[in-house]
Amino acid sequence: MRATEKAGARPGSHATPLLTEADRLMTVCNSCRYCEGLCAVFPAMEMRRAFPDGDLNYLASLCHACGACYVDCQFSPPHEFDVNVPRVLAQVRADSYATYAWPRALRGLFARNGLVISIVAALSVAAFILGFVGRHDASVLFGTHTGPGAFYALMPHNVMAVLFGAAFLYAILAIALGIRAFWRAIGQPIALDRASLWQALRDAATMRYLDGGGIGCYNHDERPNDRRRFHHHLTFYGFLACFASTCIATLYHYLLGRAAPYPWWDLPVVLGTLGGIALIFGPLGLMIAKLRRDPVMVDGARFGMEAAFLAMLFLTSLTGLLLLVLRDTGAMPLLLAIHLGVVFALFITLPYGKFVHGLYRFAALVRYAREHRAFTGGGAVFG
Ligand code: SF4
Ligand code: SF4
């Protein structure tokens, strides 16, 4: 039986067969409602009787793919209803990154080749930097450079700032336009109310719904655990610490006139080291969890795009920490070029892959908090 022929499907009313299938599942689940205590997806689903494309993307962004509703479902395969909410919502989510991406020409570019594109971009930038420096003064590549300003022996600070500032601003612009498109598609007004925003911030900071209703995420061995949430936290807070480290180092440079590298006890180094360690173990744990998931619940076709973001975070941290340890040795120029290449690739691929999922999820949580308050007359959000 094809997806569009199954009970509840409404072919023709959605942009893709996948959204038609998601509509069918939500229609079945809305009749059943057995899973309403597991996460925010089911209470949000119960507040509506029809599922336009924007609402399906909203529901998909609320899902953490914990797998609990698949394991609990009496209609999951081999039942003829073929209800597989985690996999279908994962596929809808992955499609949404391309649907709302800016510019249009790059939509879908990373969907299947994300890992290869990211690594090729990182190596290309590193090779360009090494080639550029080698042509001007090859001795820089093999020398030992120490003290304030040592990094700028490889590339002048202003060149570095222009190159990476442009990549960063491009990423911010593309991400902002993507979020705007998503926000409009899920039918939300520009104005935000403080209570919903605060509720969404708390839910995102604690990853409240990533627990399968309290018992954790399911893997192929059907023994749920909370490790995915722990590694998500490491990744999220590690990323914030590294971002804070970069911002403080920029202030040091422009406001205090202090050039990197800084001593190990200085704030940018402390934050960068803690964040870097978290960004080694967080993405590694998430990748292991990904490989251990039951294949029937995951979107295997988009593995490359999902793996690319984790791989880029891991490599950024690994090369950054190696640079910290070996910065006073002759390995510094090569390590710095590789680190800069990975950071550049991370920046330009941010708007097209898994990173935007975190932002779309936050937008979905704001909407959920808002509509839940409206639905219950201002009562506490489910959970
Ligand atoms: S996933 Fe299955 S058990 Fe859960 S609400 Fe949907 S149909 Fe019911
Ligand atoms: S978060 Fe878990 S329980 Fe909720 S829809 Fe997704 S897989 Fe199902």
Short mmCIF file of all heavy atoms in Angstrom, two decimals, residues 25 28-29 32-35 42 45 69-70 72-75 83 85, ligand 1:
data_model
loop_
_atom_site.label_atom_id
_atom_site.label_comp_id
_atom_site.label_asym_id
_atom_site.label_seq_id
_atom_site.Cartn_x
_atom_site.Cartn_y
_atom_site.Cartn_z
N LEU A 25 -0.41 10.41 9.31
CA LEU A 25 -0.03 9.94 10.65
C LEU A 25 -0.67 10.79 11.74
O LEU A 25 -1.18 10.28 12.74
CB LEU A 25 1.49 9.95 10.82
CG LEU A 25 2.31 8.97 9.99
CD1 LEU A 25 3.72 8.90 10.53
CD2 LEU A 25 1.69 7.60 9.97
N VAL A 28 -4.27 9.89 12.15
CA VAL A 28 -4.44 8.64 12.90
C VAL A 28 -4.18 8.90 14.39
O VAL A 28 -4.96 8.48 15.26
CB VAL A 28 -3.48 7.55 12.36
CG1 VAL A 28 -3.53 6.31 13.24
CG2 VAL A 28 -3.82 7.19 10.92
N CYS A 29 -3.06 9.58 14.69
CA CYS A 29 -2.70 9.83 16.09
C CYS A 29 -3.74 10.70 16.79
O CYS A 29 -4.01 10.53 17.99
CB CYS A 29 -1.33 10.53 16.17
SG CYS A 29 0.03 9.46 15.70
N CYS A 32 -6.34 8.55 18.06
CA CYS A 32 -5.89 7.59 19.08
C CYS A 32 -5.52 8.30 20.39
O CYS A 32 -6.04 8.00 21.45
CB CYS A 32 -4.69 6.84 18.51
SG CYS A 32 -3.76 5.90 19.72
N ARG A 33 -4.60 9.24 20.30
CA ARG A 33 -4.15 10.07 21.44
C ARG A 33 -3.52 9.30 22.60
O ARG A 33 -3.43 9.81 23.71
CB ARG A 33 -5.30 10.96 21.94
CG ARG A 33 -5.84 11.85 20.85
CD ARG A 33 -6.75 12.93 21.35
NE ARG A 33 -7.07 13.86 20.28
CZ ARG A 33 -7.72 14.99 20.44
NH1 ARG A 33 -8.12 15.34 21.65
NH2 ARG A 33 -7.96 15.78 19.43
N TYR A 34 -3.10 8.10 22.32
CA TYR A 34 -2.48 7.30 23.38
C TYR A 34 -1.18 7.94 23.89
O TYR A 34 -0.82 7.81 25.05
CB TYR A 34 -2.21 5.90 22.83
CG TYR A 34 -1.56 4.95 23.79
CD1 TYR A 34 -2.30 4.36 24.83
CD2 TYR A 34 -0.21 4.63 23.68
CE1 TYR A 34 -1.70 3.49 25.72
CE2 TYR A 34 0.40 3.76 24.57
CZ TYR A 34 -0.35 3.19 25.59
OH TYR A 34 0.24 2.34 26.47
N CYS A 35 -0.47 8.64 23.00
CA CYS A 35 0.88 9.14 23.33
C CYS A 35 0.88 10.57 23.86
O CYS A 35 1.94 11.21 23.90
CB CYS A 35 1.77 9.06 22.10
SG CYS A 35 2.05 7.37 21.54
N PHE A 42 2.30 15.72 20.63
CA PHE A 42 0.91 15.23 20.67
C PHE A 42 -0.07 16.26 21.24
O PHE A 42 -1.15 16.45 20.68
CB PHE A 42 0.86 13.88 21.40
CG PHE A 42 1.62 12.82 20.64
CD1 PHE A 42 2.94 12.52 20.97
CD2 PHE A 42 1.05 12.18 19.55
CE1 PHE A 42 3.65 11.58 20.25
CE2 PHE A 42 1.76 11.24 18.81
CZ PHE A 42 3.06 10.93 19.16
N MET A 45 -0.59 18.65 18.48
CA MET A 45 -1.43 18.01 17.46
C MET A 45 -2.91 18.05 17.86
O MET A 45 -3.79 18.31 17.04
CB MET A 45 -0.96 16.56 17.29
CG MET A 45 -1.82 15.67 16.44
SD MET A 45 -1.45 13.94 16.82
CE MET A 45 -2.32 13.72 18.39
N CYS A 69 7.16 7.02 21.04
CA CYS A 69 5.84 6.81 20.44
C CYS A 69 5.85 5.66 19.43
O CYS A 69 4.82 5.07 19.16
CB CYS A 69 5.32 8.10 19.80
SG CYS A 69 6.34 8.71 18.47
N TYR A 70 7.04 5.35 18.87
CA TYR A 70 7.11 4.20 17.96
C TYR A 70 7.03 2.90 18.77
O TYR A 70 6.30 1.98 18.40
CB TYR A 70 8.42 4.25 17.17
CG TYR A 70 8.58 3.09 16.23
CD1 TYR A 70 7.96 3.10 14.97
CD2 TYR A 70 9.32 1.97 16.59
CE1 TYR A 70 8.08 2.02 14.11
CE2 TYR A 70 9.45 0.89 15.73
CZ TYR A 70 8.83 0.92 14.49
OH TYR A 70 8.94 -0.15 13.63
N ASP A 72 5.76 2.48 21.74
CA ASP A 72 4.48 2.35 22.43
C ASP A 72 3.30 2.07 21.48
O ASP A 72 2.22 1.69 21.94
CB ASP A 72 4.15 3.64 23.20
CG ASP A 72 5.05 3.80 24.42
OD1 ASP A 72 5.86 2.90 24.67
OD2 ASP A 72 4.94 4.83 25.11
N CYS A 73 3.52 2.30 20.19
CA CYS A 73 2.38 2.35 19.27
C CYS A 73 1.85 0.96 18.88
O CYS A 73 2.62 0.11 18.44
CB CYS A 73 2.77 3.12 18.01
SG CYS A 73 1.39 3.34 16.88
N GLN A 74 0.55 0.79 19.01
CA GLN A 74 -0.05 -0.49 18.61
C GLN A 74 -0.26 -0.54 17.09
O GLN A 74 -0.64 -1.58 16.56
CB GLN A 74 -1.38 -0.72 19.34
CG GLN A 74 -2.45 0.34 19.13
CD GLN A 74 -2.38 1.47 20.14
OE1 GLN A 74 -1.30 1.94 20.51
NE2 GLN A 74 -3.53 1.92 20.60
N PHE A 75 -0.02 0.59 16.39
CA PHE A 75 -0.21 0.62 14.94
C PHE A 75 1.10 0.72 14.17
O PHE A 75 1.11 1.01 12.98
CB PHE A 75 -1.09 1.83 14.56
CG PHE A 75 -2.42 1.83 15.25
CD1 PHE A 75 -2.83 2.93 16.00
CD2 PHE A 75 -3.26 0.73 15.17
CE1 PHE A 75 -4.06 2.93 16.65
CE2 PHE A 75 -4.50 0.71 15.81
CZ PHE A 75 -4.90 1.82 16.56
N VAL A 83 2.25 3.14 11.25
CA VAL A 83 2.49 4.42 11.93
C VAL A 83 3.93 4.45 12.45
O VAL A 83 4.31 3.66 13.32
CB VAL A 83 1.49 4.62 13.10
CG1 VAL A 83 1.86 5.85 13.91
CG2 VAL A 83 0.07 4.75 12.56
N VAL A 85 5.94 7.56 13.57
CA VAL A 85 6.03 9.02 13.76
C VAL A 85 7.48 9.51 13.81
O VAL A 85 7.82 10.50 13.15
CB VAL A 85 5.24 9.45 15.03
CG1 VAL A 85 5.43 10.93 15.31
CG2 VAL A 85 3.76 9.13 14.85
S1 SF4 B 1 1.90 6.91 17.73
FE1 SF4 B 1 0.45 5.21 17.72
S2 SF4 B 1 -0.16 4.92 19.85
FE2 SF4 B 1 0.80 6.94 19.68
S3 SF4 B 1 -0.92 8.36 19.33
FE3 SF4 B 1 -0.10 7.76 17.32
S4 SF4 B 1 -1.36 6.02 16.71
FE4 SF4 B 1 -1.64 6.29 18.91
#
